[in-house]
Amino acid sequence: MLAIAMSLDHAADVIVLPDSGRSDRTSDAELVRRGRDGDSWAHEMIYRRYAALVGTTARRLLRDASDVDDVVQETFLIAFEKLDRLAEPAALRGWLAQIAVSRVHRRFRWRKVTRLFSDNEPGACLEDQASSDASPEHRAELALIDRALHKLPIKLRTPWVMRHVVGLGLDDIALACDCSLATVKRRIQEADDAVAAYLTVDGGAR
Amino acid sequence: MMPVDPTLPRPQSQRPGGLEPRQLDAVLVDGFDETQRHDAWQRLSEQRSQRSPMRRPRLALGVGLGLAVAGALAALLLLRPSAPPDRDVPGPLASRTVGLRVAEGATLAAASSAELIVPFDDGSEVRLAPGAQLDVMANRGDAFVTLLAHGKAHFDVRHGGPRRWQIETALATVEVVGTAFEIDRGPTSMTIAVERGVVMVRGERVPGRIVRLTAGEHLEIQAPLETATMFEQPPPRGPTPVEPAPPTPAVAPAATVAIVPRGSGSGSGSAARVAPVAPSVPPLTRKAQPIADALVAADALRARGEFAAAASTLTDALDAAGDSAGAGLAAFTLGRLAIERLDQPTRAARAFERMIAIGSPSSLLEDAYARRARAWRAAGNQAEADRAAADYARAYPRGHRLDDLTPSSTP
């Protein structure tokens, strides 16, 4: 029976329809299944669920904020086009992160080509993203971390940022970086060591 | 080197007083905020609707070169000027009723005693119940956006048509491609009943902010109960003493939402049949009203030709509402009133600016960007007009109003 009628309390303006299967509780696998059938609602739900993840990943990795929208747009366009190719629908999160990372790396490669004669190394600029209430010490710290990250190769920088700044799980990072879990752990550790060494030296010299 | 599990807590900070990696997110701004999400979805939807899946530089380069060569060859072979080929892009929707205008800015209003039937040239049809009013916000080849100000309207949208139909109300947005459904927009509630096909309903008061309704289902959304106290009746004239109104409950549910199949539930056989909306609204006292009610009240005032009062009602409500649901629509309506009826372009520009800042309804955002630029231009503030036009170009690089707003076209 479909009939549902309930009142909302003050705390929430929305209710979950128990029979609808359309709420935010719908599993990723179910959204993928519906999305494959061309269900536009499922596409929108996928976007709403993961736009923040994709956008934040891109923002933290890219120096140029104007590229973030493009990465998000491209990521979801690709995802919606290729939903059929997602072997494990439950891994939607990591798969989207993988597409986003590949789009970010694509930009890095392009910048390398276009900036052959430039000293500017592309990469995350965390200091620019400091919140307004961040203390001067924290800003300085972010600037140091920025410089440390810029010295890292992308293959180390990306998992480090995804782990420590975006906060993704190791499984998702492994999928996003298209490598094994052990490799991701090793790369993050390498990056940790390099960042720590840089901070210690540079921080002490400050 | 032995791999170390980065999930394990680090033994100690690398630098005294330094940020641990896990603390980084706490001192950074939101990586991708709600406005960005909203805008990106808008662009994504536009791009998908245009069937140009993504930018593929290499593929695009190859295709572009191929097309350029083919075009050059064709031009050489034909050796005669000709009209550009018809790209089969549909134009705006037109009414088949002679003299009935459905261009952007038009208002379709049914008389208080008769239904208004509007057949369109694509086979779609809108039926407005007596007293209902539908404003045409956007009419393009790819979208037909309307605002159901009040009353009941039945939409029969041709299946497979090229346009996305979007109906805005203060409580929700309804989006369809091919379907038949009915919306009943009352002063404090609305009902959407689907006869055929599928509609998407979005809004702050919609479960999960979005619901997909299929044939036979309907959705009822009620504004907060406290809005019932909004329309304060003036004391009746004459000697009859006035019974005090029953006290408003101190705590009232914020809203009620229900989704039920048609024909079930209490009342008449069809749950979509809601009592018709009174064509007139009682006079209002001047106080800030909830947005949904302010829109209805302003519409009633506008219908009576009291444009200044309507604008004031919206302004008061907006001042009190912040960026709550429906505020965007109220700001947009205020902007239109100010520029079209009150000749107050600066006020209009600021209203559109407010709507843009709120970011909803999404279907009117592009229009708001364009109208803001025009309003600043009308106000004689060329610097702001240029800035607004640049904002439009940034937000809608392929926007169809781009040509109207470029500095070269400004007088």
Side-chain angles (χ1 to χ4, degrees), chain A residues 57-59 61-62 71 99-109 158:
Chain A
T57 300
R59 183 74 183 96
L61 288 171
L62 287 164
V71 168
I99 300 172
V101 167
S102 75
R103 304 313 294 178
V104 169
H105 285 185
R106 190 189 181 94
R107 279 167 170 73
F108 286 163
R109 289 194 296 272
T158 298

Side-chain angles (χ1 to χ4, degrees), chain A residues 10 44 47 73 77 81 129, chain B residues 29 37 47-48 53 202 252:
Chain A
H10 276 286
E44 182 162 351
Y47 176 84
Q73 197 166 327
L77 282 172
E81 271 185 1
Q129 301 173 49
Chain B
V29 292
R37 263 175 277 184
Q47 195 161 351
R48 294 179 74 201
R202 295 183 179 81

Side-chain angles (χ1 to χ4, degrees), chain B residues 53-408:
Chain B
M54 56 173 292
R55 289 187 299 172
R56 289 176 169 140
R58 277 173 289 188
L59 181 62
L61 188 63
V63 171
L65 282 173
L67 287 175
V69 171
L73 284 174
L76 285 172
L77 288 172
L78 292 175
L79 285 176
R80 61 187 174 88
S82 60
D86 183 4
R87 292 188 302 155
D88 200 24
V89 176
L93 207 54
S95 166
R96 286 192 300 170
T97 304
V98 176
L100 188 61
R101 191 172 155 269
V102 290
E104 289 179 8
T107 294
L108 306 173
S112 59
S113 58
E115 192 178 60
L116 175 65
I117 300 176
V118 186
F120 293 97
D121 59 356
D122 72 341
S124 303
E125 182 182 274
V126 171
R127 284 203 319 267
L128 295 177
Q133 181 182 317
L134 190 71
D135 295 338
V136 180
M137 298 295 189
N139 185 356
R140 306 190 300 266
D142 63 341
F144 185 61
V145 183
T146 56
L147 165 66
L148 183 59
H150 59 78
K152 185 156 66 178
H154 180 277
F155 299 83
D156 190 343
V157 181
R158 184 173 74 86
H159 182 71
R163 293 175 195 83
R164 175 174 48 87
W165 282 53
Q166 199 155 320
I167 297 97
E168 299 287 351
T169 73
L171 291 174
T173 298
V174 181
E175 189 175 317
V176 296
V177 174
T179 183
F181 64 102
E182 189 172 76
I183 301 179
D184 192 343
R185 171 74 176 88
T188 58
S189 68
M190 71 176 287
T191 305
I192 303 125
V194 180
E195 287 177 12
R196 190 181 70 240
V198 177
V199 304
M200 311 280 277
V201 187
R202 295 183 179 81
E204 293 294 323
R205 298 191 180 284
V206 175
R209 295 193 173 193
I210 180 167
V211 159
R212 180 175 179 266
L213 293 179
T214 55
E217 291 180 336
H218 82 246
L219 176 71
E220 298 171 2
I221 308 171
Q222 287 189 351
L225 288 185
E226 57 265 32
T227 61
T229 63
M230 192 278 302
F231 296 108
E232 292 186 0
Q233 298 273 5
R237 292 170 187 166
T240 311
V242 180
E243 286 291 325
T248 306
V251 177
T256 303
V257 179
I259 177 172
V260 293
R262 301 186 77 184
S264 67
S266 60
S268 60
S270 169
R273 302 279 182 258
V274 183
V277 180
S280 64
V281 176
L284 303 167
T285 57
R286 248 326 272 288
K287 75 171 200 179
Q289 306 167 15
I291 285 291
D293 306 304
L295 277 164
V296 177
D299 192 64
L301 291 165
R302 193 172 47 162
R304 294 203 293 261
E306 298 173 34
F307 302 118
S312 297
T313 300
L314 291 171
T315 302
D316 292 346
L318 278 166
D319 288 345
D323 294 345
S324 64
L329 187 56
F332 186 86
T333 307
L334 174 61
R336 283 192 59 188
L337 266 174
I339 190 82
E340 293 171 8
R341 301 292 186 178
L342 301 174
D343 195 22
Q344 296 175 343
T346 302
R347 187 181 189 184
R350 296 200 190 288
F352 292 128
E353 213 152 66
R354 174 87 182 269
M355 190 262 181
I356 291 165
I358 292 167
S360 77
S362 58
S363 60
L364 299 178
L365 261 181
E366 182 182 356
D367 201 19
Y369 271 100
R371 284 173 184 268
R372 178 179 60 164
R374 290 198 203 106
W376 279 126
R377 197 193 306 167
N381 192 332
Q382 197 56 43
E384 286 292 346
D386 290 345
R387 199 170 297 130
D391 285 348
Y392 176 91
R394 255 194 308 276
Y396 302 95
R398 292 182 298 276
H400 68 289
R401 296 180 179 89
L402 214 50
D403 292 340
D404 300 338
L405 301 174
T406 48
S408 59

Side-chain angles (χ1 to χ4, degrees), chain A residues 1-10 12-17 22 39-41 43-45 47-48 51-52 55-56 59-60 68-70 72-74 76-78 80-82 103 106-107 126 129-132 134 138 141-142 144-145 160 163-165 170 182 184-186 188-190 192-193 196 199-200 203-204 206, chain B residues 1-8 10 14-15 17-19 21-32 34 36-44 47-48 52-58 200 202-214 217 219 226 250-261 264-265 398:
Chain A
M1 180 63 185
L2 192 60
I4 304 156
M6 57 179 75
S7 293
L8 298 174
D9 58 26
H10 276 286
D13 256 1
V14 295
I15 54 173
V16 175
L17 302 178
R22 300 178 187 129
D39 185 334
S40 55
W41 174 84
H43 288 167
E44 182 162 351
M45 279 305 295
Y47 176 84
R48 286 179 184 276
T56 302
R59 183 74 183 96
R60 303 301 190 224
V68 173
D69 286 349
D70 287 345
V72 171
Q73 197 166 327
E74 289 169 10
F76 283 99
L77 282 172
I78 292 170
F80 294 153
E81 271 185 1
K82 298 184 177 176
R103 304 313 294 178
R106 190 189 181 94
R107 279 167 170 73
L126 297 175
Q129 301 173 49
S131 62
S132 56
H138 283 164
E141 193 79 16
L142 289 172
L144 272 177
I145 292 173
W160 192 93
R163 178 65 185 156
H164 292 311
V165 186
L170 292 171
V184 158
K185 288 180 180 178
R186 181 173 51 76
I188 292 175
Q189 185 58 46
E190 274 185 50
D192 271 345
D193 293 341
L199 294 185
T200 303
R206 222 172 10 158
Chain B
M1 176 171 36
M2 176 74 81
V4 177
D5 187 350
T7 58
L8 296 174
R10 298 166 69 88
Q14 302 292 345
R15 298 177 65 252
L19 278 171
R22 285 167 198 286
Q23 295 175 291
L24 287 174
D25 199 43
V27 297
L28 297 174
V29 292
D30 196 357
F32 199 60
E34 181 59 38
Q36 288 174 294
R37 263 175 277 184
H38 175 87
D39 293 347
W41 176 251
Q42 178 100 353
R43 284 191 290 275
L44 188 61
Q47 195 161 351
R48 294 179 74 201
S52 55
M54 56 173 292
R55 289 187 299 172
R56 289 176 169 140
R58 277 173 289 188
M200 311 280 277
R202 295 183 179 81
E204 293 294 323
R205 298 191 180 284
V206 175
R209 295 193 173 193
I210 180 167
V211 159
R212 180 175 179 266
L213 293 179
T214 55
E217 291 180 336
L219 176 71
E226 57 265 32
V251 177
T256 303
V257 179
I259 177 172
V260 293
S264 67
R398 292 182 298 276

